[in-house]
Amino acid sequence: MTLFNKIKEITEIQATSGYEAPMRDYLRARMMELGYTPETDGLGGIFVTKESKTENAPRVMVAAHMDEVGFMVSSIKADGTLRVVTLGGWNPLVVSAQRFTLFTREGKKIPVVTGGLPPHLLRGAAGAPAMPQVEDIIFDGGFMSKEEVLEFGIRQGDVIVPESEAILTANGKNVISKAWDNRYGCLMVLELLDYLKDKELPVTLIIGANVQEEVGLRGAHVSTTQFKPEVFFAVDCSPATDTFGNDNGRLGEGSLLRYYDPGHIMLPGMKDFLLNTAEVNGIKTQAYISKGGTDAGAAHLQNEGVPSTTIGVCARYIHSHQTIFNMDDFTEAQNFIRAIVTTLNQEKIAAIKNY
Ligand SMILES: [Zn+2]
């Protein structure tokens, strides 16, 4: 399967926070095909433990998150339209005039669109329309009444997930899809498990994906207390700012070295380890200072302190139906995580901690 086909398959899966089963089932099936035995944590995170034969091998975790941003139905109106609350961060300006899938409790998939205000209705209005609030945006499945909505099994609490087909850009280098945040990480994890199938390492690796990252890094608290890693690597996708005239996160410039975000500072020992590993292995990297967060922010505060970082890539316009990202960046990040897990040993981990 080509890289694009793998990306298409994994980004078109629809799974939002708390309702990650479609993504978890996919991960479980692929993990088992590769000969691993995955386990889940109490909230639904899924992980494979690849035990080292080395005595007292340090435990190292590599974790994606499997949820994508979505919505939950908060009310059903008499006219048959729906209103929602957000699951994860949404810019109201990218919510309107899009296509979504609503999942009912019985597992029915219902097509829904968000109402856009046609220009005809704006004619004659005084001044520019105000910034929309997500709770006012109309989610419309074409139902004629509340009764009809209920007949189709739709209830408050059902989730709504973006629907968007992944395509290649004309130059064949980039992809347009939804949810590269963080199906990037999920694909990284599966490819890493494939690469490590027949390798024996001096560290025990716990590799998989957390739940509920988009609503506040919740799954990472749970999985790190269950699997007790000494060192933690999130694999996650961050916003590119190149098209906005900034230099944090440029497409095609390689994997991100995430030195700072509001919830995490990369410690000097980790910085040395990453820079050395990238140099020795010829990995293309770029510095990244972030305004957002990743599971590294939650993980590093667990179990008496867990040195953590994020092995990331950037994508333009994340948390929307149409993000753009570079396939070579994925390959760089993939080579980077391979080099990291095969370089790590007791001594290297001691150096990361004793900076
Ligand atoms: Zn995100």
Side-chain angles (χ1 to χ4, degrees):
M1 212 190 218
T2 64
L3 178 55
F4 171 69
N5 286 335
K6 289 177 186 177
I7 290 170
K8 183 173 168 62
E9 186 169 284
I10 208 161
T11 58
E12 288 180 3
I13 293 168
Q14 294 172 294
T16 188
S17 309
Y19 288 75
E20 290 96 350
M23 194 57 224
R24 182 166 46 252
D25 293 346
Y26 179 86
L27 288 170
R28 183 187 287 114
R30 296 288 95 76
M31 287 165 167
M32 290 176 74
E33 273 169 26
L34 291 167
Y36 295 103
T37 309
E39 292 173 80
T40 50
D41 64 39
L43 293 186
I46 188 164
F47 292 89
V48 163
T49 302
K50 185 175 162 56
E51 295 282 353
S52 170
K53 295 198 177 80
T54 307
E55 220 179 312
N56 300 318
R59 296 171 69 78
V60 174
M61 193 166 196
V62 178
H65 68 84
M66 59 183 122
D67 55 322
E68 69 190 285
V69 289
F71 301 91
M72 182 179 277
V73 176
S74 58
S75 65
I76 302 168
K77 300 294 183 188
D79 66 0
T81 64
L82 311 168
R83 300 296 183 276
V84 300
V85 291
T86 55
L87 298 174
W90 279 98
N91 169 0
L93 292 176
V94 306
V95 177
S96 290
Q98 298 291 345
R99 190 175 287 192
F100 300 83
T101 307
L102 181 150
F103 292 81
T104 70
R105 189 173 160 224
E106 289 77 29
K108 247 191 280 175
K109 294 182 184 182
I110 310 277
V112 168
V113 298
T114 36
L117 205 52
H120 317 66
L121 298 184
L122 288 175
R123 245 175 248 152
M131 179 83 160
Q133 300 294 303
V134 171
E135 60 264 32
D136 296 329
I137 295 173
I138 297 162
F139 282 69
D140 192 342
F143 297 106
M144 308 306 281
S145 65
K146 181 169 184 169
E147 289 65 40
E148 193 180 28
V149 171
L150 295 174
E151 273 167 34
F152 276 83
I154 297 166
R155 296 291 182 274
Q156 287 162 293
D158 289 345
V159 295
I160 295 177
V161 189
E163 188 198 316
S164 177
E165 189 195 353
I167 57 168
L168 271 174
T169 57
N171 59 15
K173 293 175 183 161
N174 301 322
V175 177
I176 301 171
S177 84
K178 72 170 181 70
W180 195 228
D181 169 17
N182 187 18
R183 303 300 154 68
Y184 149 75
C186 294
L187 188 56
M188 282 278 280
V189 155
L190 291 175
E191 294 292 301
L192 183 62
L193 285 169
D194 191 11
Y195 173 75
L196 294 173
K197 245 181 334 194
D198 306 309
K199 293 194 170 53
E200 175 53 34
L201 297 172
V203 295
T204 287
L205 285 169
I206 302 112
I207 302 177
N210 286 314
V211 293
Q212 298 191 40
E213 190 270 354
E214 295 292 358
V215 289
L217 319 180
R218 295 175 192 171
H221 289 274
V222 178
S223 63
T224 43
T225 50
Q226 175 161 336
F227 294 102
K228 298 188 171 40
E230 267 182 64
V231 181
F232 177 91
F233 295 91
V235 278
D236 206 347
C237 171
S238 303
T241 65
D242 53 356
T243 50
F244 304 112
N246 296 326
D247 59 1
N248 268 309
R250 288 177 179 279
L251 248 54
E253 292 299 315
S255 185
L256 308 181
L257 291 168
R258 197 183 174 95
Y259 293 131
Y260 170 92
D261 71 46
H264 186 268
I265 296 164
M266 191 196 291
L267 296 176
M270 181 63 85
K271 192 177 194 173
D272 287 342
F273 172 70
L274 292 185
L275 288 170
N276 290 336
T277 305
E279 193 183 336
V280 168
N281 293 277
I283 310 292
K284 193 165 159 186
T285 59
Q286 52 180 322
Y288 192 79
I289 308 293
S290 181
K291 291 180 180 152
T294 74
D295 278 339
H300 81 301
L301 301 178
Q302 303 294 322
N303 309 334
E304 295 90 43
V306 181
S308 300
T309 192
T310 305
I311 304 304
V313 291
C314 62
R316 294 173 182 165
Y317 327 120
I318 69 171
H319 289 209
S320 80
H321 283 61
Q322 317 293 351
T323 71
I324 301 185
F325 51 91
N326 183 257
M327 288 196 287
D328 287 342
D329 286 343
F330 177 82
T331 306
E332 288 298 324
Q334 185 179 25
N335 291 336
F336 200 15
I337 197 74
R338 285 176 179 177
I340 286 166
V341 299
T342 52
T343 303
L344 277 173
N345 55 31
Q346 194 96 53
E347 186 197 342
K348 291 263 169 28
I349 288 173
I352 287 173
K353 289 180 170 178
N354 302 313
Y355 59 89

